[in-house]
Amino acid sequence: MIIEYTVFDWLKVAFLWISPALFIMGTILLLLSLEKYKKLEDNLNRNLGGIQKIVMPKIETNIYTFHEWLLSKKVIVGLICIICSLVFFVLLKD
């Protein structure tokens, strides 16, 4: 018996595996204050992202502008992440 997998089967598995990460990210956005989140981000940026600032500063500035806009609406983004993760998990678990 041959089992065929489609693109949708692979997407289902990918979304099912991504849903816990979305839930954790949404929870972090809701629970951490803005100052603690920026401190965590600065520590991660210092350790991981030094090369990107030198190579592509203009692209990083545009991305950072969008990031600041998302942080100003962090409660809404956190709730959307949690809701999406729960929807993915409930609809795709079978």
Coordinates of all heavy atoms in Angstrom, one line a residue:
M1 N 0.8 -1.2 0.0 CA 0.0 0.0 0.0 C 0.9 1.2 0.0 O 1.8 1.4 0.8 CB -0.9 0.0 1.2 CG -1.8 1.1 1.3 SD -2.9 0.8 2.7 CE -4.0 2.2 2.5
I2 N 0.7 2.1 -0.9 CA 1.4 3.4 -1.1 C 0.7 4.5 -0.4 O -0.5 4.7 -0.7 CB 1.7 3.7 -2.6 CG1 2.5 2.5 -3.2 CG2 2.4 5.0 -2.7 CD1 2.7 2.7 -4.7
I3 N 1.4 5.2 0.4 CA 0.8 6.4 1.1 C 1.3 7.7 0.3 O 2.6 7.9 0.2 CB 1.2 6.5 2.5 CG1 0.7 5.2 3.3 CG2 0.7 7.7 3.2 CD1 1.2 5.1 4.7
E4 N 0.4 8.5 -0.2 CA 0.8 9.7 -0.8 C 0.6 10.9 0.1 O -0.3 11.0 0.8 CB -0.1 9.9 -2.1 CG 0.1 8.8 -3.1 CD -0.7 9.1 -4.4 OE1 -1.2 10.2 -4.5 OE2 -0.9 8.2 -5.2
Y5 N 1.6 11.7 0.0 CA 1.6 13.0 0.8 C 1.5 14.2 -0.1 O 2.2 14.2 -1.1 CB 2.9 13.1 1.7 CG 3.0 12.1 2.8 CD1 3.8 11.0 2.7 CD2 2.2 12.2 3.9 CE1 3.9 10.1 3.7 CE2 2.2 11.2 4.9 CZ 3.1 10.2 4.8 OH 3.2 9.2 5.8
T6 N 0.6 15.1 0.2 CA 0.5 16.3 -0.6 C 1.1 17.5 0.1 O 1.6 17.4 1.3 CB -1.0 16.6 -0.8 OG1 -1.6 16.9 0.5 CG2 -1.7 15.4 -1.5
V7 N 1.2 18.6 -0.5 CA 1.7 19.8 0.0 C 0.9 20.2 1.3 O 1.5 20.6 2.3 CB 1.7 20.9 -1.0 CG1 2.1 22.3 -0.4 CG2 2.5 20.6 -2.2
F8 N -0.4 20.0 1.3 CA -1.2 20.3 2.4 C -0.9 19.5 3.6 O -1.0 19.9 4.8 CB -2.7 20.2 2.0 CG -3.1 21.2 0.9 CD1 -3.4 20.7 -0.3 CD2 -3.1 22.6 1.2 CE1 -3.7 21.6 -1.3 CE2 -3.4 23.4 0.2 CZ -3.7 23.0 -1.1
D9 N -0.5 18.2 3.4 CA -0.1 17.4 4.5 C 1.1 17.9 5.2 O 1.2 17.9 6.4 CB 0.1 15.9 4.1 CG -1.2 15.2 3.6 OD1 -2.2 15.6 4.2 OD2 -1.1 14.4 2.7
W10 N 2.1 18.4 4.4 CA 3.3 18.9 4.9 C 3.0 20.3 5.6 O 3.6 20.5 6.7 CB 4.3 19.1 3.8 CG 4.9 17.8 3.3 CD1 4.6 17.2 2.1 CD2 5.7 16.9 4.0 NE1 5.2 16.0 2.0 CE2 5.9 15.8 3.1 CE3 6.3 16.9 5.2 CZ2 6.7 14.7 3.5 CZ3 7.1 15.8 5.5 CH2 7.3 14.7 4.7
L11 N 2.1 21.1 5.1 CA 1.8 22.3 5.7 C 1.1 22.1 7.1 O 1.3 22.8 8.0 CB 0.9 23.2 4.8 CG 1.6 23.9 3.6 CD1 0.5 24.5 2.8 CD2 2.6 24.9 4.2
K12 N 0.3 21.1 7.1 CA -0.4 20.7 8.3 C 0.6 20.3 9.4 O 0.5 20.8 10.6 CB -1.4 19.5 8.1 CG -2.1 19.0 9.3 CD -3.0 17.9 8.9 CE -3.6 17.3 10.1 NZ -4.4 16.1 9.9
V13 N 1.6 19.6 9.1 CA 2.6 19.2 10.0 C 3.4 20.4 10.5 O 3.7 20.6 11.7 CB 3.5 18.1 9.4 CG1 4.7 17.8 10.3 CG2 2.7 16.8 9.2
A14 N 3.8 21.3 9.5 CA 4.6 22.4 9.8 C 3.8 23.4 10.8 O 4.3 23.9 11.8 CB 4.9 23.2 8.5
F15 N 2.5 23.6 10.5 CA 1.7 24.5 11.3 C 1.5 23.9 12.7 O 1.5 24.6 13.7 CB 0.4 24.8 10.7 CG 0.5 25.9 9.6 CD1 -0.2 25.7 8.4 CD2 1.2 27.0 9.8 CE1 -0.1 26.7 7.5 CE2 1.3 28.0 8.9 CZ 0.6 27.8 7.7
L16 N 1.4 22.6 12.8 CA 1.2 21.9 14.0 C 2.5 22.0 14.9 O 2.4 22.2 16.1 CB 0.9 20.4 13.8 CG 0.4 19.7 15.0 CD1 -0.9 20.3 15.6 CD2 0.1 18.2 14.6
W17 N 3.7 22.0 14.3 CA 4.9 22.1 15.0 C 5.2 23.6 15.4 O 5.9 23.9 16.4 CB 6.1 21.6 14.2 CG 6.2 20.1 14.4 CD1 5.6 19.1 13.6 CD2 6.8 19.4 15.5 NE1 5.9 17.9 14.0 CE2 6.6 18.0 15.2 CE3 7.5 19.8 16.6 CZ2 7.1 17.0 16.0 CZ3 8.0 18.8 17.4 CH2 7.8 17.4 17.2
I18 N 4.7 24.5 14.6 CA 4.9 26.0 14.8 C 4.0 26.5 15.9 O 4.3 27.4 16.6 CB 4.7 26.8 13.5 CG1 5.9 26.5 12.6 CG2 4.6 28.3 13.8 CD1 5.7 27.1 11.2
S19 N 2.9 25.8 16.2 CA 1.9 26.3 17.1 C 2.4 26.5 18.5 O 2.1 27.5 19.2 CB 0.6 25.5 17.1 OG 0.8 24.2 17.5
P20 N 3.2 25.6 19.1 CA 3.8 25.8 20.4 C 4.7 27.0 20.5 O 4.7 27.8 21.5 CB 4.5 24.6 20.8 CG 4.0 23.5 19.9 CD 3.5 24.2 18.7
A21 N 5.5 27.2 19.4 CA 6.4 28.4 19.4 C 5.6 29.7 19.4 O 5.9 30.7 20.0 CB 7.3 28.3 18.2
L22 N 4.5 29.7 18.6 CA 3.6 30.9 18.5 C 3.0 31.2 19.9 O 2.9 32.3 20.3 CB 2.5 30.7 17.5 CG 2.8 31.1 16.1 CD1 1.6 30.7 15.2 CD2 3.0 32.6 16.0
F23 N 2.6 30.1 20.6 CA 2.0 30.3 21.9 C 3.0 30.8 22.9 O 2.7 31.8 23.7 CB 1.5 28.9 22.4 CG 0.7 29.0 23.7 CD1 -0.6 29.4 23.7 CD2 1.3 28.7 24.9 CE1 -1.3 29.5 24.9 CE2 0.6 28.8 26.1 CZ -0.7 29.2 26.1
I24 N 4.2 30.3 22.9 CA 5.2 30.8 23.8 C 5.6 32.3 23.5 O 5.7 33.1 24.4 CB 6.5 29.9 23.7 CG1 6.2 28.6 24.3 CG2 7.7 30.6 24.4 CD1 7.2 27.5 24.1
M25 N 5.7 32.6 22.2 CA 6.0 34.0 21.8 C 4.9 34.9 22.2 O 5.1 36.0 22.8 CB 6.2 34.1 20.3 CG 6.6 35.5 19.8 SD 6.8 35.6 18.1 CE 5.1 35.6 17.6
G26 N 3.6 34.5 22.0 CA 2.5 35.4 22.5 C 2.4 35.6 24.0 O 2.2 36.7 24.5
T27 N 2.8 34.5 24.7 CA 2.8 34.6 26.2 C 3.9 35.5 26.6 O 3.7 36.3 27.5 CB 3.0 33.2 26.8 OG1 2.0 32.3 26.3 CG2 2.9 33.3 28.3
I28 N 5.1 35.5 26.0 CA 6.2 36.4 26.4 C 5.8 37.8 26.1 O 6.0 38.7 26.9 CB 7.4 36.0 25.6 CG1 8.0 34.7 26.2 CG2 8.5 37.1 25.7 CD1 9.2 34.1 25.4
L29 N 5.1 38.1 24.9 CA 4.7 39.4 24.6 C 3.7 40.0 25.6 O 3.7 41.1 26.0 CB 4.1 39.5 23.2 CG 5.1 39.5 22.1 CD1 4.4 39.4 20.8 CD2 6.0 40.8 22.1
L30 N 2.8 39.1 26.1 CA 1.8 39.6 27.1 C 2.4 39.7 28.5 O 2.0 40.7 29.2 CB 0.6 38.6 27.1 CG -0.3 38.6 25.9 CD1 -1.4 37.5 26.1 CD2 -0.9 40.0 25.7
L31 N 3.3 38.9 28.9 CA 3.7 38.9 30.3 C 4.9 39.9 30.5 O 5.0 40.4 31.6 CB 4.1 37.5 30.7 CG 2.9 36.5 30.8 CD1 3.4 35.1 31.2 CD2 1.8 37.0 31.7
L32 N 5.8 40.0 29.6 CA 7.0 40.9 29.8 C 6.6 42.3 29.6 O 5.8 42.7 28.7 CB 8.1 40.5 28.9 CG 8.9 39.3 29.2 CD1 10.0 39.1 28.1 CD2 9.5 39.3 30.5
S33 N 7.2 43.2 30.5 CA 7.0 44.6 30.2 C 7.8 45.0 29.1 O 8.8 44.3 28.6 CB 7.4 45.4 31.5 OG 8.7 45.3 31.7
L34 N 7.6 46.2 28.5 CA 8.3 46.7 27.3 C 9.8 46.8 27.6 O 10.6 46.5 26.8 CB 7.7 48.0 26.8 CG 8.1 48.4 25.5 CD1 7.8 47.4 24.4 CD2 7.4 49.7 25.1
E35 N 10.1 47.3 28.8 CA 11.6 47.5 29.2 C 12.3 46.2 29.3 O 13.4 46.0 28.8 CB 11.7 48.2 30.5 CG 11.2 49.7 30.5 CD 9.7 49.8 30.6 OE1 9.1 48.8 31.2 OE2 9.1 50.7 30.1
K36 N 11.7 45.2 29.9 CA 12.3 43.8 30.0 C 12.4 43.2 28.6 O 13.4 42.5 28.3 CB 11.5 42.9 30.9 CG 11.6 43.3 32.4 CD 10.8 42.3 33.2 CE 10.9 42.7 34.7 NZ 10.1 41.8 35.5
Y37 N 11.4 43.4 27.8 CA 11.5 42.8 26.4 C 12.6 43.4 25.6 O 13.4 42.8 24.9 CB 10.2 43.0 25.7 CG 10.1 42.3 24.4 CD1 9.9 40.9 24.2 CD2 10.3 43.1 23.2 CE1 9.9 40.3 23.0 CE2 10.3 42.5 22.0 CZ 10.1 41.1 21.9 OH 10.1 40.5 20.6
K38 N 12.8 44.8 25.7 CA 13.8 45.5 25.0 C 15.2 45.0 25.5 O 16.2 44.9 24.8 CB 13.7 47.0 25.1 CG 12.6 47.5 24.2 CD 12.6 49.0 24.1 CE 11.5 49.5 23.2 NZ 12.0 50.0 22.0
K39 N 15.3 44.8 26.8 CA 16.6 44.4 27.4 C 16.9 43.0 26.9 O 18.1 42.7 26.6 CB 16.5 44.4 28.9 CG 17.8 44.0 29.6 CD 17.6 44.1 31.1 CE 18.9 43.8 31.8 NZ 18.7 43.8 33.3
L40 N 15.9 42.1 26.9 CA 16.2 40.7 26.3 C 16.6 40.8 24.9 O 17.5 40.1 24.4 CB 14.9 39.9 26.5 CG 14.9 38.5 25.8 CD1 15.8 37.6 26.6 CD2 13.5 37.9 25.9
E41 N 15.9 41.7 24.1 CA 16.2 41.8 22.7 C 17.6 42.4 22.5 O 18.3 42.0 21.6 CB 15.2 42.7 22.1 CG 15.3 42.9 20.6 CD 14.3 43.8 20.0 OE1 14.4 45.0 20.2 OE2 13.3 43.3 19.5
D42 N 18.0 43.4 23.3 CA 19.4 43.9 23.2 C 20.4 42.9 23.5 O 21.5 42.8 22.8 CB 19.5 45.1 24.1 CG 18.7 46.3 23.7 OD1 18.4 46.4 22.5 OD2 18.5 47.2 24.5
N43 N 20.2 42.0 24.5 CA 21.1 41.0 24.8 C 21.3 40.0 23.6 O 22.3 39.6 23.3 CB 20.7 40.2 26.1 CG 21.0 41.0 27.3 OD1 21.8 41.9 27.3 ND2 20.3 40.7 28.4
L44 N 20.1 39.6 23.0 CA 20.2 38.7 21.9 C 20.8 39.4 20.7 O 21.5 38.7 19.9 CB 18.8 38.2 21.6 CG 18.1 37.3 22.6 CD1 16.7 36.9 22.2 CD2 18.9 36.0 22.7
N45 N 20.5 40.6 20.5 CA 21.1 41.4 19.3 C 22.6 41.5 19.5 O 23.3 41.3 18.5 CB 20.4 42.7 19.2 CG 20.8 43.4 18.0 OD1 21.2 42.8 17.0 ND2 20.7 44.7 18.0
R46 N 23.1 41.7 20.6 CA 24.5 41.8 20.9 C 25.2 40.5 20.6 O 26.3 40.5 20.0 CB 24.8 42.3 22.3 CG 26.2 42.7 22.5 CD 26.4 43.3 23.9 NE 25.3 43.6 24.7 CZ 25.0 43.1 25.9 NH1 25.8 42.3 26.5 NH2 23.9 43.4 26.5
N47 N 24.6 39.4 21.0 CA 25.3 38.1 20.8 C 25.1 37.6 19.4 O 26.0 36.9 18.9 CB 24.7 37.1 21.8 CG 25.0 37.5 23.2 OD1 26.0 38.1 23.5 ND2 24.1 37.1 24.1
L48 N 24.0 37.9 18.7 CA 23.7 37.2 17.4 C 23.8 38.0 16.2 O 24.0 37.5 15.1 CB 22.3 36.5 17.5 CG 22.1 35.5 18.6 CD1 20.7 35.1 18.7 CD2 23.0 34.3 18.4
G49 N 23.5 39.3 16.3 CA 23.2 40.1 15.1 C 24.2 41.2 14.7 O 23.8 42.1 14.1
G50 N 25.5 41.1 15.1 CA 26.4 42.2 14.8 C 26.7 42.4 13.4 O 26.9 43.5 12.9
I51 N 26.8 41.3 12.6 CA 27.2 41.4 11.2 C 26.1 42.1 10.3 O 26.4 42.9 9.4 CB 27.5 40.0 10.6 CG1 28.7 39.4 11.4 CG2 27.8 40.1 9.1 CD1 29.0 38.0 11.1
Q52 N 24.9 41.9 10.6 CA 23.8 42.4 9.8 C 23.8 43.9 9.8 O 23.4 44.5 8.8 CB 22.5 41.8 10.3 CG 21.3 42.1 9.4 CD 20.0 41.4 9.9 OE1 19.9 41.2 11.0 NE2 19.2 41.1 9.0
K53 N 24.1 44.6 10.9 CA 24.1 46.0 10.9 C 25.1 46.6 10.0 O 24.9 47.7 9.4 CB 24.4 46.5 12.4 CG 23.2 46.3 13.3 CD 23.5 46.9 14.6 CE 22.3 46.7 15.5 NZ 22.5 47.2 16.9
I54 N 26.3 46.0 9.8 CA 27.3 46.5 9.0 C 27.0 46.2 7.5 O 27.2 47.1 6.7 CB 28.7 45.8 9.3 CG1 29.0 46.2 10.8 CG2 29.8 46.2 8.4 CD1 30.2 45.4 11.3
V55 N 26.4 45.1 7.2 CA 26.2 44.7 5.8 C 25.0 45.4 5.2 O 25.1 45.9 4.1 CB 26.1 43.2 5.7 CG1 25.7 42.8 4.2 CG2 27.3 42.5 6.1
M56 N 23.9 45.4 5.9 CA 22.6 46.0 5.3 C 22.0 46.9 6.3 O 20.9 46.6 6.9 CB 21.7 44.8 5.0 CG 22.1 43.9 3.9 SD 20.9 42.7 3.6 CE 21.6 41.3 4.4
P57 N 22.5 48.1 6.5 CA 21.9 49.0 7.5 C 20.6 49.5 7.1 O 19.7 49.7 7.9 CB 22.9 50.1 7.7 CG 23.7 50.1 6.4 CD 23.7 48.6 6.0
K58 N 20.3 49.8 5.8 CA 19.1 50.4 5.4 C 17.9 49.4 5.5 O 16.9 49.8 6.0 CB 19.2 50.9 3.9 CG 18.0 51.6 3.5 CD 18.3 52.3 2.1 CE 17.1 53.1 1.7 NZ 16.9 54.3 2.3
I59 N 18.2 48.2 5.2 CA 17.1 47.1 5.3 C 16.8 46.9 6.8 O 15.6 46.8 7.2 CB 17.6 45.8 4.6 CG1 17.6 46.0 3.1 CG2 16.6 44.7 5.0 CD1 18.2 44.8 2.4
E60 N 17.8 46.9 7.6 CA 17.6 46.7 9.0 C 16.8 47.9 9.6 O 16.0 47.7 10.5 CB 18.9 46.5 9.8 CG 18.7 46.1 11.2 CD 19.9 45.6 11.9 OE1 20.7 44.9 11.2 OE2 20.1 46.0 13.0
T61 N 17.0 49.1 9.2 CA 16.3 50.2 9.7 C 14.8 50.1 9.3 O 13.9 50.4 10.2 CB 16.8 51.5 9.1 OG1 18.2 51.6 9.3 CG2 16.1 52.7 9.6
N62 N 14.5 49.7 8.1 CA 13.1 49.5 7.8 C 12.4 48.4 8.6 O 11.3 48.5 9.0 CB 13.0 49.1 6.3 CG 13.3 50.3 5.4 OD1 13.3 51.5 5.9 ND2 13.7 50.0 4.2
I63 N 13.1 47.3 8.8 CA 12.6 46.2 9.6 C 12.4 46.7 11.0 O 11.4 46.3 11.7 CB 13.5 45.0 9.5 CG1 13.5 44.4 8.1 CG2 13.1 43.9 10.5 CD1 14.5 43.3 7.9
Y64 N 13.4 47.4 11.6 CA 13.3 47.9 12.9 C 12.1 48.9 13.1 O 11.5 48.9 14.2 CB 14.6 48.6 13.3 CG 14.7 48.7 14.8 CD1 14.9 47.6 15.7 CD2 14.6 50.0 15.4 CE1 15.0 47.8 17.0 CE2 14.8 50.2 16.8 CZ 14.9 49.1 17.6 OH 15.0 49.2 18.9
T65 N 11.8 49.7 12.1 CA 10.6 50.5 12.2 C 9.3 49.7 12.3 O 8.5 50.0 13.2 CB 10.5 51.4 10.9 OG1 11.7 52.1 10.8 CG2 9.4 52.4 11.0
F66 N 9.2 48.7 11.5 CA 8.0 47.8 11.6 C 8.0 47.1 13.0 O 6.9 46.9 13.6 CB 8.0 46.8 10.5 CG 6.9 45.8 10.5 CD1 5.6 46.3 10.4 CD2 7.1 44.5 10.7 CE1 4.5 45.4 10.4 CE2 6.0 43.6 10.7 CZ 4.8 44.0 10.6
H67 N 9.2 46.7 13.5 CA 9.3 46.1 14.8 C 8.8 47.0 15.9 O 8.1 46.6 16.8 CB 10.7 45.6 15.0 CG 11.0 44.9 16.3 ND1 10.5 43.6 16.5 CD2 11.6 45.3 17.4 CE1 10.9 43.3 17.7 NE2 11.5 44.2 18.3
E68 N 9.2 48.2 15.8 CA 8.8 49.2 16.9 C 7.3 49.4 16.8 O 6.6 49.6 17.9 CB 9.5 50.6 16.6 CG 10.9 50.6 17.0 CD 11.1 50.4 18.5 OE1 10.3 51.0 19.3 OE2 12.1 49.8 18.9
W69 N 6.7 49.4 15.6 CA 5.3 49.5 15.5 C 4.6 48.3 16.1 O 3.5 48.5 16.8 CB 4.9 49.7 14.0 CG 3.4 49.8 13.8 CD1 2.7 51.0 13.9 CD2 2.5 48.8 13.4 NE1 1.3 50.7 13.6 CE2 1.2 49.4 13.3 CE3 2.6 47.4 13.2 CZ2 0.1 48.6 13.0 CZ3 1.5 46.7 12.8 CH2 0.3 47.3 12.7
L70 N 5.1 47.1 15.9 CA 4.5 45.9 16.5 C 4.7 46.0 18.0 O 3.8 45.5 18.7 CB 5.2 44.7 15.9 CG 4.8 44.3 14.5 CD1 5.6 43.1 14.1 CD2 3.3 44.0 14.4
L71 N 5.8 46.5 18.5 CA 6.0 46.5 20.0 C 5.0 47.5 20.6 O 4.6 47.3 21.8 CB 7.4 46.9 20.3 CG 8.4 45.8 20.3 CD1 9.8 46.3 20.7 CD2 8.0 44.7 21.2
S72 N 4.7 48.6 19.9 CA 3.7 49.5 20.5 C 2.3 48.9 20.6 O 1.5 49.3 21.4 CB 3.6 50.8 19.7 OG 3.1 50.5 18.4
K73 N 2.0 47.9 19.8 CA 0.8 47.1 19.8 C 1.0 45.7 20.3 O 0.4 44.8 19.8 CB 0.2 47.1 18.4 CG -0.1 48.5 17.9 CD -0.6 48.5 16.5 CE -0.9 49.9 16.0 NZ -0.8 51.0 16.8
K74 N 1.9 45.5 21.3 CA 2.3 44.2 21.7 C 1.2 43.3 22.3 O 1.2 42.1 22.2 CB 3.5 44.2 22.6 CG 3.3 44.7 24.0 CD 4.6 44.7 24.8 CE 4.3 44.9 26.2 NZ 4.3 43.6 26.9
V75 N 0.2 43.9 23.0 CA -0.9 43.2 23.5 C -1.7 42.5 22.4 O -2.1 41.4 22.5 CB -1.7 44.1 24.5 CG1 -3.0 43.4 24.9 CG2 -0.9 44.6 25.6
I76 N -2.0 43.3 21.4 CA -2.8 42.8 20.3 C -2.0 41.7 19.6 O -2.6 40.6 19.2 CB -3.2 43.9 19.3 CG1 -4.1 44.9 20.0 CG2 -3.8 43.4 18.1 CD1 -4.4 46.2 19.3
V77 N -0.7 41.9 19.3 CA 0.1 40.9 18.6 C 0.2 39.7 19.5 O 0.1 38.5 18.9 CB 1.5 41.5 18.3 CG1 2.4 40.4 17.7 CG2 1.4 42.7 17.3
G78 N 0.4 39.8 20.8 CA 0.4 38.6 21.7 C -0.8 37.8 21.6 O -0.8 36.6 21.6
L79 N -2.0 38.5 21.7 CA -3.3 37.8 21.6 C -3.5 37.1 20.3 O -4.0 36.0 20.3 CB -4.4 38.8 21.9 CG -4.6 39.3 23.4 CD1 -5.6 40.3 23.5 CD2 -4.9 38.1 24.3
I80 N -3.1 37.8 19.2 CA -3.2 37.2 17.9 C -2.4 35.9 17.8 O -2.8 34.9 17.3 CB -2.9 38.2 16.8 CG1 -4.0 39.2 16.7 CG2 -2.7 37.5 15.5 CD1 -3.6 40.4 15.8
C81 N -1.1 36.0 18.4 CA -0.3 34.8 18.3 C -0.9 33.6 19.1 O -0.8 32.5 18.7 CB 1.1 35.1 18.9 SG 2.1 36.2 17.8
I82 N -1.4 33.9 20.3 CA -2.0 32.9 21.1 C -3.2 32.3 20.5 O -3.4 31.0 20.4 CB -2.3 33.4 22.5 CG1 -1.0 33.7 23.3 CG2 -3.2 32.5 23.3 CD1 -1.2 34.4 24.6
I83 N -4.1 33.1 19.9 CA -5.3 32.6 19.3 C -4.9 31.8 18.0 O -5.5 30.7 17.8 CB -6.2 33.8 18.9 CG1 -6.8 34.4 20.1 CG2 -7.3 33.4 17.9 CD1 -7.5 35.7 19.9
C84 N -4.0 32.3 17.2 CA -3.6 31.5 16.0 C -3.0 30.1 16.5 O -3.2 29.1 15.8 CB -2.5 32.2 15.2 SG -3.3 33.6 14.3
S85 N -2.2 30.1 17.5 CA -1.6 28.8 17.9 C -2.6 27.9 18.4 O -2.6 26.7 18.1 CB -0.5 29.1 19.0 OG -1.1 29.5 20.2
L86 N -3.6 28.4 19.1 CA -4.7 27.5 19.6 C -5.6 27.0 18.4 O -5.9 25.8 18.4 CB -5.6 28.2 20.6 CG -4.9 28.5 22.0 CD1 -5.8 29.3 22.9 CD2 -4.4 27.2 22.6
V87 N -5.8 27.9 17.5 CA -6.6 27.4 16.3 C -5.8 26.4 15.5 O -6.4 25.4 15.1 CB -7.0 28.7 15.4 CG1 -7.5 28.3 14.1 CG2 -8.0 29.5 16.1
F88 N -4.5 26.6 15.3 CA -3.7 25.6 14.5 C -3.8 24.3 15.3 O -3.9 23.3 14.6 CB -2.3 26.1 14.4 CG -2.1 27.2 13.4 CD1 -1.0 28.0 13.5 CD2 -3.0 27.5 12.5 CE1 -0.7 29.1 12.6 CE2 -2.8 28.6 11.6 CZ -1.7 29.3 11.7
F89 N -3.6 24.3 16.6 CA -3.5 23.1 17.3 C -4.8 22.3 17.3 O -4.9 21.1 17.1 CB -3.0 23.3 18.8 CG -2.8 22.1 19.5 CD1 -1.7 21.3 19.3 CD2 -3.7 21.7 20.5 CE1 -1.5 20.1 20.0 CE2 -3.5 20.5 21.2 CZ -2.4 19.7 20.9
V90 N -5.9 23.1 17.5 CA -7.2 22.4 17.6 C -7.7 21.9 16.3 O -8.2 20.8 16.2 CB -8.3 23.4 18.2 CG1 -9.7 22.9 18.0 CG2 -8.0 23.7 19.7
L91 N -7.5 22.7 15.2 CA -7.9 22.2 13.9 C -7.0 21.2 13.2 O -7.5 20.4 12.4 CB -8.1 23.4 13.0 CG -9.1 24.4 13.3 CD1 -9.1 25.6 12.3 CD2 -10.5 23.8 13.3
L92 N -5.8 21.2 13.6 CA -4.8 20.3 12.9 C -4.4 19.1 13.7 O -3.5 18.3 13.2 CB -3.6 21.1 12.4 CG -3.9 22.3 11.5 CD1 -2.6 23.0 11.2 CD2 -4.6 21.8 10.2
K93 N -4.9 18.9 14.9 CA -4.3 17.8 15.7 C -4.7 16.4 15.3 O -4.1 15.5 15.6 CB -4.7 18.0 17.2 CG -6.2 17.9 17.5 CD -6.4 18.0 18.9 CE -7.9 18.0 19.2 NZ -8.2 18.2 20.6
D94 N -5.8 16.2 14.5 CA -6.2 14.9 14.1 C -5.5 14.4 12.9 O -4.9 15.0 12.1 CB -7.7 14.8 13.9 CG -8.3 15.9 13.1 OD1 -7.8 17.1 13.3 OD2 -9.2 15.7 12.3

